Amino acid sequence: CIGLVKSIPTMLSVHAEQLNKTGFPTIHAVVLLEGTMNLTGEPQPLVEQLMMVKRMQRIPSPLFILEIWKACFVGLIESPEGTEELKWTAFTFLKIPQVLVKLKKYPQGEKDFTEDVNCAFEFLLKLTPLLDKADQRCNCDCTSLLFQECGKQGLLSEANMNNLIAKRTADREHAPRLKSPENANIQPNPGLILRAEPTVTNILKTMDSDHSKTPEGLLGVLGHMLSGKSLDLLLAAAAATGKLKVFARNLSTKAASVRALLFDISFLMLCHVAQTYGSEVILSEAGPPGEVPFFETWMQTCMPEEGKILNPDHPCFRPDSTKVESLVALLNNSSEMKLVQMKWQEACLSISAAILEILNAWENGVLTFESVQKITDNIKGKVCSMAVCAVAWLVAHVRMLGLDEREKSLQMIRQLATPLYAENTLQFYSERVVIMSSILEHMCADVLQQTAANIKFSATGVVTMPYWNFLPAKKPIKEVLMGVFSKVLEKGWVDSRSIHIFDTLLHMGGVYWFCNNLVKELLKETRKEHAMRAVELLYSIFCLDMQQLTLTLLGHILPNLLTDSSKWHMLMDPPGKALANKLQTYFSCLQCHFQNLHLQISQDHQTSDC
């Protein structure tokens, strides 16, 4: 008895450690998925999804909040350098505090929510290696900044905030110092992101003003956004706080200005926003016909995107022939394009047909290489948006050509992608070229991969396409799926790289193939703990498209297993039991989906068709 009593403190400490080690892969995956692929999404759907998982899995509030922060720090550490790192920083320091503010409104139990947040942070402080790695990556004390932000949002009392900061400060005295001379003077991203958020609000106020007569003020603001990583910082802050759509909308309306520089900067920024955060950010709400901004129309009909095939002979690429002829003559004869008295929207719409005429003339020997180079220099040397529109059409055109017919089109893309640094003194030209090169690289990625062609884009100092082409060459996608799932199962949670691979495989193989093969992998497990972990990870992966994958599982995969007696052995304990226990969650997902659908239909007054 004495030995048992003496062992109680040890037992309690072991139990506490066990709590810290308890992982919840679904919460982890939901947060990672949101931070990696949906920074611009409204926080409320994320809140509801997290709360549903919390209730289904009966997760205690402190561990629930802890898992959210763990996922944020893992995402921050794993994120590729550049834009993705800024997006993750904004997600962690701006969006997640907003999510927690909304979670605070839900009944959590007997404890006050701020006490649960404090308890979660106390647990987090014990994960020293994770926090040290995040601090090394961000070159600052991440948790102290986070505590301060949560204090501002009313998620921590001042006393608890100061206590947590003091604990982490003391702990950091023993942390490894890996500051190199190169990054000693670099400002940490978390601090920059937190300062960028109020700047976005000020920029939006500036954009709301009338600049039709004196555009210099707006031009100065937008021009200085182009320098360094200012644009990506401000866009990330705007995306995390729900202001990006307003920013894009204001930019679309300002792009109608006849001022060449203002038009060019606006056009390039909107292209960058669409490629970084998705074209849906640009799309306006349904409104009266004739009020759709120019860029939105161009983006939907002319802009190449992943998975989007454009027809180079589409009417959008064939404007008024007289305008095309005058543009060709201007490009061919003028040694210096005049930037005044031009309608830039018309020029951008006419450039595709002009490029076709120039290309035909070059292929038929009417124009020399030097003449074509002079024309492409005219296009890219003043207004970078014209080069973007020209390459957009060339990408669509190259897709339709045979391998032996593509050389001149690819040469023209190369010429348009090469900036005229040495001889250009135009305002903000070097900054505009950096964005143009990034846009062109994204546009050309698919077609260059297909043709095995090589085009050198202007170096921007960062990896512009960090998640591009993850799948190994010449390897069946089923093998890739099995290999990645095996690694995830061994690790116990889904990392951001695996999320991207799973997402690519889902789109390549289709919902049924993806779901069927993952269920087969689950049913191979013969140990209870592995089966439970596998089914938990399966649910995590299904977060990529919960609605379609759940419907496929319940409507096709399971009925096939249950009605075929030759497959019944696969459903035996432990994998079959683990899957059956998880079905309650899937039914809850379906119920939640249909409730939301019914609510939406009711709001649209279309219940007669239901």
Side-chain angles (χ1 to χ4, degrees):
C1 287
I2 292 170
L4 183 61
V5 170
K6 284 183 176 178
S7 69
I8 287 174
T10 309
M11 290 163 63
L12 288 174
S13 66
V14 169
H15 181 62
E17 287 302 313
Q18 187 60 38
L19 279 180
N20 283 343
K21 291 176 184 174
T22 302
F24 302 96
T26 306
I27 297 292
H28 200 104
V30 168
V31 175
L32 271 179
L33 188 64
E34 193 79 7
T36 306
M37 297 183 176
N38 195 28
L39 180 61
T40 57
E42 291 292 324
Q44 190 58 36
L46 174 60
V47 169
E48 289 172 4
Q49 191 175 12
L50 288 170
M51 282 304 297
M52 183 186 69
V53 177
K54 179 182 184 294
R55 285 193 295 264
M56 287 292 101
Q57 299 185 356
R58 296 180 176 86
I59 306 172
S61 289
L63 296 182
F64 169 65
I65 298 166
L66 172 65
E67 194 66 37
I68 292 173
W69 288 126
K70 278 167 60 181
C72 286
F73 277 95
V74 168
L76 197 56
I77 292 164
E78 286 186 334
S79 58
E81 187 181 347
T83 305
E84 293 300 318
E85 185 183 352
L86 293 178
K87 286 162 75 172
W88 258 108
T89 308
F91 179 75
T92 302
F93 290 86
L94 294 177
K95 187 166 185 176
I96 288 298
Q98 287 183 348
V99 168
L100 291 182
V101 168
K102 290 183 177 292
L103 281 169
K104 188 178 178 181
K105 298 173 184 176
Y106 286 75
Q108 304 286 341
E110 296 178 5
K111 274 189 180 180
D112 181 64
F113 187 73
T114 54
E115 286 303 315
D116 286 331
V117 173
N118 181 58
C119 187
F121 277 134
E122 291 278 7
F123 284 142
L124 185 67
L125 287 179
K126 294 179 182 179
L127 305 178
T128 308
L130 178 72
L131 303 185
D132 287 349
K133 194 153 189 174
D135 286 358
Q136 290 163 15
R137 173 70 196 267
C138 297
N139 198 24
C140 67
D141 184 353
C142 291
T143 43
S144 292
L145 285 173
L146 205 52
F147 298 151
Q148 290 169 20
E149 189 62 22
C150 288
K152 288 179 194 172
Q153 300 287 349
L155 296 166
L156 279 173
S157 67
E158 188 173 352
N160 284 341
M161 181 187 75
N162 292 333
N163 178 47
L164 290 166
I165 290 174
K167 283 184 177 179
R168 179 57 187 159
T169 304
D171 196 32
R172 286 186 90 233
E173 292 300 317
H174 309 289
R177 303 289 179 182
L178 293 180
K179 276 193 177 182
S180 61
E182 297 84 47
N183 68 5
N185 297 320
I186 296 174
Q187 289 184 294
N189 285 333
L192 292 171
I193 281 287
L194 290 170
R195 289 201 294 276
E197 191 268 330
T199 307
V200 171
T201 306
N202 293 331
I203 289 171
L204 289 175
K205 286 179 184 175
T206 305
M207 293 177 78
D208 283 335
S209 307
D210 183 13
H211 295 280
S212 55
K213 294 180 181 177
T214 54
E216 284 75 17
L218 179 61
L219 189 58
V221 169
L222 296 181
H224 285 98
M225 281 179 69
L226 299 177
S227 61
K229 61 180 182 182
S230 296
L231 179 60
D232 283 324
L233 263 171
L234 292 165
L235 291 181
T241 52
K243 296 170 186 168
L244 186 59
K245 199 170 182 68
V246 179
F247 176 79
R249 185 66 184 161
N250 284 349
L251 211 55
S252 293
T253 55
K254 303 299 178 189
S257 169
V258 293
R259 180 82 178 262
L261 191 54
L262 189 56
F263 174 88
D264 200 37
I265 291 172
S266 301
F267 189 96
L268 294 172
M269 280 187 177
L270 287 166
C271 280
H272 185 65
V273 168
Q275 289 181 338
T276 309
Y277 294 97
S279 53
E280 62 276 2
V281 177
I282 308 292
L283 300 177
S284 57
E285 306 298 328
E291 294 186 10
V292 180
F294 159 73
F295 181 81
E296 190 176 323
T297 305
W298 181 85
M299 181 190 71
Q300 288 181 290
T301 54
C302 306
M303 183 174 173
E305 292 178 276
E306 189 179 355
K308 176 177 168 185
I309 305 299
L310 297 171
N311 175 10
D313 297 320
H314 190 276
C316 71
F317 291 123
R318 297 288 172 269
D320 184 356
S321 58
T322 55
K323 292 176 182 175
V324 175
E325 287 172 11
S326 60
L327 181 60
V328 171
L330 184 67
L331 292 170
N332 197 24
N333 299 325
S334 173
S335 59
E336 185 178 326
M337 278 188 67
K338 303 297 180 186
L339 296 184
V340 293
Q341 297 178 338
M342 274 194 77
K343 293 182 179 178
W344 293 104
Q345 295 182 12
E346 289 183 3
C348 283
L349 289 174
S350 302
I351 192 67
S352 54
I355 287 290
L356 175 60
E357 286 199 19
I358 293 159
L359 192 60
N360 285 337
W362 186 18
E363 286 176 339
N364 290 312
V366 177
L367 285 176
T368 62
F369 174 79
E370 289 72 21
S371 301
V372 173
Q373 193 168 27
K374 174 187 158 189
I375 291 169
T376 54
D377 286 351
N378 266 335
I379 293 171
K380 70 191 177 188
K382 301 291 188 294
V383 183
C384 295
S385 47
M386 281 183 67
V388 171
C389 294
V391 171
W393 178 80
L394 282 165
V395 166
H397 179 65
V398 168
R399 281 181 181 276
M400 303 300 170
L401 300 176
L403 286 173
D404 56 337
E405 303 170 311
R406 295 176 171 178
E407 183 52 38
K408 281 189 167 55
S409 298
L410 290 171
Q411 275 189 35
M412 195 172 276
I413 292 174
R414 285 190 190 95
Q415 290 169 36
L416 289 166
T418 308
L420 296 172
Y421 280 126
E423 53 203 73
N424 207 304
T425 56
L426 283 176
Q427 196 176 7
F428 304 120
Y429 181 75
S430 57
E431 292 88 348
R432 284 183 283 147
V433 161
V434 170
I435 300 179
M436 179 190 80
S437 297
S438 172
I439 293 165
L440 297 185
E441 186 175 1
H442 278 80
M443 281 184 173
C444 297
D446 267 339
V447 78
L448 293 181
Q449 191 177 17
Q450 290 170 5
T451 57
N454 183 33
I455 293 178
K456 183 172 174 55
F457 295 91
S458 175
T460 58
V462 295
V463 180
T464 52
M465 302 184 66
Y467 291 120
W468 188 257
N469 194 21
F470 263 173
L471 299 187
K474 299 179 182 179
K475 190 171 183 180
I477 57 173
K478 186 176 178 181
E479 285 183 27
V480 177
L481 182 68
M482 292 164 63
V484 177
F485 186 73
S486 177
K487 287 179 183 176
V488 164
L489 188 59
E490 184 181 345
K491 190 182 289 189
W493 51 277
V494 187
D495 59 277
S496 53
R497 181 184 176 87
S498 299
I499 281 177
H500 276 275
I501 296 176
F502 281 129
D503 187 52
T504 304
L505 292 170
L506 173 60
H507 286 95
M508 288 181 74
V511 177
Y512 182 86
W513 173 89
F514 188 79
C515 185
N516 190 37
N517 281 295
L518 282 178
V519 170
K520 283 180 182 177
E521 290 303 300
L522 160 68
L523 296 176
K524 289 177 184 177
E525 296 302 326
T526 55
R527 293 177 59 183
K528 182 180 178 180
E529 59 270 26
H530 284 185
M532 294 301 291
R533 180 191 284 186
V535 81
E536 183 74 11
L537 288 168
L538 205 64
Y539 179 72
S540 307
I541 296 162
F542 278 18
C543 290
L544 285 166
D545 191 343
M546 185 60 78
Q547 180 188 333
Q548 291 303 319
L549 286 164
T550 302
L551 289 170
T552 302
L553 176 71
L554 298 177
H556 301 282
I557 308 298
L558 286 179
N560 288 345
L561 288 169
L562 292 168
T563 54
D564 186 348
S565 58
S566 66
K567 296 177 181 176
W568 287 353
H569 68 282
M570 299 168 67
L571 296 174
M572 293 174 66
D573 194 20
K577 186 175 180 180
L579 182 57
N581 287 339
K582 205 66 187 170
L583 285 181
Q584 182 186 1
T585 309
Y586 290 118
F587 282 119
S588 299
C589 292
L590 274 183
Q591 184 182 9
C592 181
H593 164 66
F594 285 125
Q595 282 174 348
N596 291 337
L597 185 63
H598 180 264
L599 179 65
Q600 182 184 345
I601 292 171
S602 300
Q603 288 171 345
D604 292 344
H605 305 291
Q606 294 175 347
T607 49
S608 57
D609 297 332
C610 204

